[in-house]
Structures are given as C-alpha cells and as structure tokens.
C-alpha cells in the first residue's frame, strides 16, 4: 500500500493527483476514524479551512460531501491560516479539523492536512488507519441516508476569533516600529492587515490580493528577496513574510538581510530565557539547523535538541520532554504555550513584541550569528524512483566520497521530500567552495541515476 500522507498531510497536483474522489474519501475516512470518541452532542463536528488556491473550493466541496455522507457535520471556516484551524478546533470543542492547502508550494498543488480534536496534527498511526480505510477496506465506510446524513454550516467569525487569540499572546513596549508584511497572496491575506491594526502596529501589507492563481507567486517566504529590497528602500524597521497558509514566517532586518527560522528561534528563545519563560532552557530544532545556530545557543546558555526534518517530529519531542519552543530553519515555529502547530503570524507578533521593548535594531541580533556556508539543492525525481535514493550504489558512493573529503569540518544531509517528488541534498562546512563542489556532485549523481537513467 502506497502512502497517501507525507510529512504534512496528503499533497499533490490538484484534481489530477489529489483528485476530488480522493478528497471525498479522505473526508469519509477521516470523519469515521477521528470521531470514534466524539466530544460534541449529536453528530460529530468537523471544521474545514482553506487557502486561496483556485482548486481549494472544489476540494472543499468534495471533502464536505465525504464528511456529510457518513453522518458527520461540516463547519466551513472559509479562508483562514492553517493554525487558525488548529486553534478553533480545540477552542470550539470540535471533533476534528481539516485544512486544504499546499502551504509553500506553487498554485498547481494542493493538500489536505488533518487535525485531531486536541488541535494537534495526527500521529502516523492514525493517518495509517485513515489510509487503510481508503485503500484497503473502502467497503467499511458506511454511507448514511435520510436524516442521518450530516449538515454544513459556516462559522462567520472564524478569522476574528483566531486573531483575538493572537493579540493575547504578547505585550508591547513603548518603541514604535515600522513593519512591512508579505502575505504571499495566501491565507494571511484574510487576517494580517486587521491583526496589525488591532495591535496598533504601523504595518504596510503587501501581496494580500489573492486571485486564486497568484499564491506564492514570486512573493511570500519562499521568494523573500522582494521583501528584502522593500524593507531597505522603504526605511522599515523590519519585514515579515508568510507562506501560502501562514504557518511559516521569515523576517528581514532593517538592512535588508534575511532572518531565517534558526535565527528567529534563537533570538526569541534568548528573550524567553531572560524572562524566565523558556522551559528547561531548551529549544527543539531539526537536523537542518545551521552549525552557527548551535554555536549561538551554546554562547547564550541555551540547550538544543535535534529531531528529524518535519514539524511533527519537533512537536513530538516538545510534548515528550516538556519544551515550549521549537521549529525549523524554514520558519515553521511552534510556541507551545500559545499554539499546537507552527504559526507565522504568532511568530511575527512575538518578534515585534520583543523588538518593541528593546533599543536594539533587528540587525544587531542578526549579526551575532556566524553561519557556516550551507547549500541546498533540490533534484526532481519521477514517482517510480521514490524511496530508492538510499539504495542506489552510485549515490551512496558519491556521499561517501564527499564525507571523506569534508571530514569533521562538514555535514551532509540527503533526504527525500515528504511533500514533493524531490531528493534534497544539503551540505554545510567551513569552506564554501568545498560545500558547493560536493553538493553539486551528489545532486548531479542523483540526477544522472534518477532522471536520465
């Protein structure tokens, strides 16, 4: 049985790979599995949010049909950020939540992310149970009829309630900052402008005019160069950039330099440690975090714990060991005191709050880091090559050659993407020329073996 769910839900090219039929069956199976022990009276209640992609409407309709056909009620949240779904499911005592989004991917993709009634993403074993119903035993998905079918309603103030929650997570100092926010023409377009206005933050919002086709299109956290230029040219104190479903945030300092997820976690962790709110004086990150990050954390008396790539693994470690901040270099940061998943706008609020109480510019924090040269190359592969890279002798030999050459001064990470048909090759080391040489060598080998063979 091939897996439907990757590291962040089910994802693929909308309609042709992530089909309406599959979306309907995910709705059915998820409703059955996630509502076995429902919290609400009467029919089970499942909340559904979506991003601004043109395909989100049709997938929403298919999901709702599937949910209702097995007797559960669907509650439409319309366009909201992914973390809004996670918050509202728990806050409004729903039985489960669904987010329709392919996050940072381009418009032709879409995805389905599932949340339990606790607001947390599903563990692998629960996703496997849903997957088994769809692929192995679809006959067990009993359809209802008559008065037993579900109903659909719309939660009119979903975005407003979520934004109010964000306003309660931080206090602000006397320093007034000029901020510019890039909404990626995605979910943050529905919330960011109002959020910053309520917080009385002087914020210019850009790329907040979604038309169904322009999500992540040369904007947002995946195309942050645009924001770097605008921050410097406009004399802003900082910029923040979200991805398509606003669960990630990257920042830009007043000099136009990027502040990535590593640096945001470090800066905010240090502030939390000073305030006495950093649990166990520890932050959780993934193996992708730069060696310069770990140096900074040691110098500031903060311990780090590393996990496999993926926010679900960061969260698992946080829950298991009692830590309250963690995340990824990509800007997916979890503040467990306030949220059950990564939240880009929450990250922005925490950063702006920190700076409003400081007399230091963001660049002064940013410049404390001495990053090791790091290069990441993505190699697109065909579906029939998925799961095979680490069994290919030529690729393994290339990796071994690079490890020998770089020695203790280098770090190599090769992995397959959990959301796209890609093999990611990342090398980090002291010498930039060697990093580039061996990253490209391994990537070229993957290309030769998996793309031309």
């Amino acid at each position: 049985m091939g897996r439907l769910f990757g590291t962040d839900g089910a994802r693929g090219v909308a309609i042709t790979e992530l089909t309406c039929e599959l979306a309907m069956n995910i709705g059915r199976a998820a409703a059955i599995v996630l509502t076995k022990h429902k919290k609400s009276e009467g029919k089970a209640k499942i909340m559904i949010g979506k991003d601004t992609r043109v395909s989100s409407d049709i997938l929403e309709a298919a999901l709702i049909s599937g949910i209702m056909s097995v007797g559960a009620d669907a509650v439409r949240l319309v366009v909201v950020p992914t973390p809004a779904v996670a918050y509202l499911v728990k806050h409004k005592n729903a039985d489960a939540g669904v987010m329709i989004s392919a996050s940072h991917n381009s418009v032709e993709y879409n995805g389905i992310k599932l949340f339990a009634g606790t607001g947390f993403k599903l563990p692998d074993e629960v996703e496997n149970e849903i997957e088994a119903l769809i692929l192995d035993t679809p006959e067990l998905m009993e359809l209802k009829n008559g008065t037993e079918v579900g109903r659909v309603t719309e939660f009119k103030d979903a975005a407003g309630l979520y934004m109010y929650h964000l306003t309660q997570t931080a206090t602000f100092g006397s320093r007034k900052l000029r901020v510019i926010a890039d909404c990626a023409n995605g979910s943050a377009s529905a919330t960011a402008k109002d959020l910053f206005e309520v917080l009385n933050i002087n914020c210019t919002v850009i790329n907040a005019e979604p038309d169904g086709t322009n999500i992540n299109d040369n904007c947002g956290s995946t195309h942050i160069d645009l924001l770097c230029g605008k921050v410097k040219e406009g004399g802003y104190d900082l910029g923040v950039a979200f991805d398509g479903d606003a669960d990630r945030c990257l920042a830009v300092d007043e000099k136009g330099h990027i502040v990535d997820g590593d640096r945001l976690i470090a800066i905010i962790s240090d502030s939390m440690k000073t305030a006495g709110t950093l649990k166990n004086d520890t932050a959780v990150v993934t193996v992708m975090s730069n060696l310069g990050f770990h140096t900074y954390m040691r110098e500031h008396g903060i311990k780090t714990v590393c996990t496999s790539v993926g926010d679900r693994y960061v969260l698992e470690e946080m829950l298991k060991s009692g830590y309250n901040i963690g995340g990824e270099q990509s800007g997916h940061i979890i503040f467990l005191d306030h949220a059950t998943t990564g939240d880009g706008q929450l990250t922005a609020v925490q950063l702006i709050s920190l700076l409003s109480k400081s007399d230091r510019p963001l660049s002064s924090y940013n410049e404390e880091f001495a990053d090791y040269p790091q290069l990441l190359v993505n190699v697109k592969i065909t579906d029939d090559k998925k799961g095979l890279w680490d069994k290919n002798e030529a690729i393994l030999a290339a990796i071994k050659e690079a490890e020998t050459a770089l020695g203790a001064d280098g770090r190599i990470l090769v992995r397959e993407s959990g959301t796209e048909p890609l093999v990611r090759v990342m090398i980090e080391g002291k010498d930039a020329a060697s990093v580039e040489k061996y990253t490209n060598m391994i990537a070229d080998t993957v290309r030769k073996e998996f793309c031309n063979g």
Side-chain angles (χ1 to χ4, degrees), residues 25-296:
N25 281 325
I26 290 175
R28 285 172 176 161
I32 291 168
V33 171
L34 296 178
T35 62
K36 284 180 178 178
H37 306 287
K38 64 185 182 67
K39 298 185 293 184
S40 53
E41 292 295 326
K43 291 184 173 69
K45 182 170 63 177
I46 299 178
M47 291 182 162
I48 302 173
K50 61 184 175 182
D51 70 15
T52 58
R53 293 165 208 269
V54 66
S55 60
S56 290
D57 290 346
I58 190 170
L59 292 174
E60 177 192 47
L63 270 164
I64 289 173
S65 296
I67 289 166
M68 293 167 62
S69 70
V70 294
D73 286 342
V75 181
R76 297 178 67 239
L77 304 179
V78 199
V79 173
V80 291
T82 288
V85 177
Y87 170 72
L88 292 168
V89 163
K90 182 179 180 181
H91 183 72
K92 300 301 288 185
N93 206 38
D95 298 288
V98 184
M99 180 65 183
I100 303 166
S101 176
S103 189
H104 59 284
N105 293 147
S106 50
V107 68
E108 68 269 23
Y109 290 92
N110 217 323
I112 296 173
K113 306 180 187 185
L114 301 174
F115 293 90
T118 57
F120 291 108
K121 290 180 180 177
L122 302 184
D124 287 343
E125 59 268 22
V126 178
E127 285 191 344
N128 290 340
E129 188 177 355
I130 293 169
E131 188 174 76
L133 260 183
I134 297 168
L135 298 179
D136 297 341
T137 56
E139 68 276 5
L140 297 182
M141 293 193 286
E142 179 187 354
L143 302 183
K144 304 297 183 181
N145 56 35
T147 60
E148 292 185 335
V149 300
R151 296 175 181 269
V152 60
T153 57
E154 184 174 319
F155 185 3
K156 296 292 187 183
D157 194 33
L161 186 57
Y162 162 68
M163 285 188 289
Y164 175 76
H165 160 67
L166 293 183
T167 66
Q168 303 304 297
T169 65
T171 58
F172 294 85
S174 58
R175 182 182 173 200
K176 297 300 181 183
L177 302 165
R178 290 186 66 239
V179 182
I180 180 169
D182 186 339
C183 295
N185 290 313
S187 291
S189 304
T191 51
K193 184 175 184 294
D194 289 343
L195 171 65
F196 291 124
E197 283 183 358
V198 169
L199 291 173
N200 197 30
I201 294 169
N202 181 5
C203 183
T204 300
V205 173
I206 61 172
N207 296 313
E209 298 180 354
D211 63 9
T213 68
N214 59 0
I215 187 170
N216 298 319
D217 186 11
N218 292 314
C219 58
S221 63
T222 51
H223 301 279
I224 200 167
D225 288 349
L226 169 73
L227 185 63
C228 291
K230 287 187 176 294
V231 169
K232 190 174 180 181
E233 293 163 10
Y236 293 95
D237 295 297
L238 74 153
V240 290
F242 309 115
D243 65 337
D245 65 336
D247 65 353
R248 299 186 188 192
C249 174
L250 296 180
V252 176
D253 69 25
E254 80 284 357
K255 295 182 179 180
H257 298 146
I258 297 171
V259 187
D260 66 12
D262 277 354
R263 293 167 184 241
L264 290 171
I265 292 168
I267 293 166
I268 296 172
S269 293
D270 188 38
S271 175
M272 291 170 65
K273 181 175 180 288
T274 300
T277 59
L278 181 65
K279 292 183 179 177
N280 301 309
D281 286 345
T282 301
V284 182
V285 292
T286 77
V287 292
M288 291 293 287
S289 285
N290 194 280
L291 293 173
F293 164 85
H294 294 285
T295 300
Y296 177 98

Side-chain angles (χ1 to χ4, degrees), residues 301-366:
I302 302 171
K303 297 183 284 291
T304 55
V305 175
C306 285
T307 73
S308 300
V309 175
D311 65 287
R312 67 167 56 202
Y313 304 113
V314 172
L315 178 61
E316 285 174 5
E317 179 61 33
M318 293 172 71
L319 291 170
K320 181 181 78 174
S321 303
Y323 306 130
N324 60 344
I325 186 171
E328 300 181 280
Q329 193 180 56
S330 61
H332 197 125
I333 302 175
I334 303 169
F335 295 90
L336 204 51
D337 292 336
H338 307 298
T340 55
T341 189
D343 190 328
Q345 289 172 108
L346 175 58
T347 300
V349 167
Q350 300 303 308
L351 177 64
I352 295 168
S353 170
L354 182 162
L355 293 173
S356 74
K357 300 170 187 173
S358 170
D359 59 0
R360 297 174 57 188
L362 181 54
S363 64
S364 73
Y365 295 92
N366 204 20

Side-chain angles (χ1 to χ4, degrees), residues 401-433:
E401 180 184 341
E403 287 175 339
T404 301
L406 293 168
D409 290 334
R411 186 167 69 98
I412 301 171
L413 180 65
V414 181
R415 68 181 184 90
E416 193 168 305
S417 171
T419 59
E420 300 173 82
L422 299 172
V423 170
R424 304 190 192 278
V425 182
M426 189 278 284
I427 295 184
E428 183 178 272
K430 289 184 177 179
D431 179 60

